[in-house]
Amino acid sequence: VFKASGLTVLPSILLLGPSGSGKTALLTLFERGTNAATHTSQSPIAVECSLPVGTTAASDKYRSTYDPTNQTHKKFLLIDTPGHGKLRHHALQNITNPKNLKGIIFLVDAATMSAGNGGLRQTADYLHDVLLVLQKRMTGGKAMKALKEVSVLIAANKMDLFTALPAALVKKSLESEITKVRASRSKGLLDSGIGMGEDVDDDKDDWLGETGSSEFKFSQMEEFDITVEVAGGNVTGGDGPGVDKWWKWVSERL
Ligand code: GTP
Ligand code: MG
């Protein structure tokens, strides 16, 4: 069967995360296999990438080694988005109108994740909003409703820097910071009078994760068929684990 990749909608992976976390750097590395200088992004871009040699896509796992489809590398579309607060609507548009979306990589700068660092709050704020959009996808458009399961990889980047928190601590820090974001958002709603006298269910809809829980945990997203994993890596710099875990995560979703 003749199948030009341009005629089919390639499986796509969406890159989200705050400004400076390394999204465009990762896109460059995944696309070209080498690093290059980046500038802060102003609009989303999509590039075609291929799984590297030796990585098998989940959908090809049971094919025979002699199957000719194994000779061509599995292709996918990687969508980079601007992390700046004022440009994030582009990013959210990409989640609310997904075309063959297979997963979301939320990149964080692990060197800005220590308590009291403004980077932690900013990152938690953005991640909270992304997860809430996904949680509320049943109230979104048709394409959103079609997203039965969603996989999110929190890629703790810049592990080459000695100031970077290990992945397990990045996870903990984000969970406790999202707990604070969630509390202040719900207080904000009460203070502004939004939801007063309306259906109580409306309020519940804006609460991320398990209703009534005092602490937010990523595992609370499972109830909404959202899987969240955290894995460390680094796009640039000689020392560090590199991007192997992230490649593996991508391959498991194609
Ligand atoms: P916006 O486009 O503004 O949303 O930012 P971005 O997430 O695309 O960030 P970008 O890829 O432009 O990277 C920001 C800076 O972080 C660049 O100077 C990168 O070289 C640097 N950077 C990216 N990954 C790493 C890493 O693993 N380690 C270190 N030390 N620096 C990195
Ligand atoms: Mg960028």
Side-chain angles (χ1 to χ4, degrees), residues 51-246:
L51 278 185
V53 185
T55 327
T56 313
S59 54
D60 288 342
K61 207 161 50 184
Y62 303 106
R63 278 190 213 279
S64 132
T65 331
Y66 303 105
D67 190 321
T69 48
N70 268 354
Q71 309 297 313
T72 54
H73 297 293
K74 193 90 179 183
K75 284 188 161 61
F76 65 99
L77 213 58
L78 192 61
I79 306 163
D80 181 23
T81 59
H84 190 282
K86 288 191 177 144
L87 301 170
R88 275 180 204 163
H89 55 274
H90 288 308
L92 294 171
Q93 247 161 35
N94 275 308
I95 339 182
T96 51
N97 190 21
K99 289 189 188 72
N100 206 4
L101 186 67
K102 296 297 184 191
I104 295 173
I105 300 180
F106 190 95
L107 222 64
V108 312
D109 179 344
T112 65
M113 287 297 109
S114 34
N117 188 313
L120 175 60
R121 188 49 181 261
Q122 271 189 354
T123 306
D125 247 322
Y126 190 12
L127 184 54
H128 170 276
D129 291 358
V130 167
L131 292 175
L132 191 61
V133 167
L134 294 173
Q135 177 180 312
K136 289 168 51 165
R137 67 191 181 279
M138 296 321 281
T139 54
K142 212 171 159 188
M144 269 298 261
K145 287 193 189 99
L147 272 182
K148 294 223 162 48
E149 285 155 44
V150 187
S151 300
V152 179
L153 171 68
I154 299 176
N157 191 23
K158 309 202 184 179
M159 286 297 166
D160 56 304
L161 301 177
F162 80 98
T163 44
L165 285 193
L169 275 184
V170 168
K171 181 179 179 185
K172 271 193 146 179
S173 308
L174 283 172
E175 285 179 333
S176 63
E177 199 66 21
I178 289 177
T179 302
K180 293 180 196 162
V181 172
R182 189 171 74 166
S184 76
R185 293 289 171 88
S186 77
K187 186 174 179 300
L189 282 182
L190 286 179
D191 288 351
S192 68
I194 296 173
M196 297 273 281
E198 283 170 32
D199 206 335
V200 192
D201 282 349
D202 282 357
D203 266 4
K204 255 197 241 154
D205 285 350
D206 283 323
W207 178 264
L208 186 70
E210 188 191 334
T211 317
S213 57
S214 58
E215 281 181 43
F216 174 77
K217 296 274 179 248
F218 289 121
S219 57
Q220 291 171 13
M221 301 314 297
E222 279 159 25
E223 198 192 323
F224 306 96
D225 290 322
I226 300 164
T227 332
V228 183
E229 278 174 62
V230 185
N234 58 300
V235 178
T236 67
D239 307 324
V243 293
D244 290 357
K245 284 187 191 152
W246 305 343

Side-chain angles (χ1 to χ4, degrees), residues 3-22:
K3 237 191 195 172
S5 60
L7 300 177
T8 52
V9 182
L10 286 174
S12 55
I13 301 284
L14 180 62
L15 281 177
L16 301 176
S19 189
S21 56

